[in-house]
Amino acid sequence: LVDFWAPWCGPCKAIGPNVEALAVQYRDQIRVAKINIDDHPKTAATYGVMSIPTLLLFKEGKLLDTLIGLVPKERLEAFIRKAL
């Protein structure tokens, strides 16, 4: 799971604790990375990230799904389970 975010993004700050909690909960099943789009604009552009927060879910190196915006923890967890 890759979380594209920025420190000035309110929705990113709001979803961050849920992403972190699920990273701990599923630590034996998934890897979670956070990419600051201000520090890595080329990476964001490569994946077509136009708004944040954007979460990209990969499985075996291939993009499985994308989730954009602030969503409840339950929806985020269902999103993660797609890769399990």
Side-chain angles (χ1 to χ4, degrees):
L1 178 70
V2 181
D3 178 8
F4 287 86
W5 71 288
W8 47 263
C9 169
C12 299
K13 290 179 184 178
I15 201 172
N18 288 337
V19 171
E20 291 169 17
L22 290 169
V24 170
Q25 182 178 338
Y26 290 97
R27 69 181 164 267
D28 295 331
Q29 296 170 297
I30 65 168
R31 286 190 221 173
V32 177
K34 295 178 70 80
I35 296 180
N36 181 332
I37 63 162
D38 291 336
D39 294 339
H40 303 281
K42 289 182 183 178
T43 304
T46 297
Y47 288 101
V49 175
M50 301 297 286
S51 62
I52 52 174
T54 292
L55 300 159
L56 301 182
L57 186 63
F58 291 87
K59 184 170 185 171
E60 298 175 4
K62 296 182 182 179
L63 182 61
L64 185 64
D65 204 355
T66 302
L67 187 63
I68 300 170
L70 178 59
V71 296
K73 185 176 181 182
E74 295 78 23
R75 183 161 175 218
L76 180 57
E77 187 169 10
F79 178 73
I80 289 171
R81 287 180 183 221
K82 291 178 185 181
L84 303 180

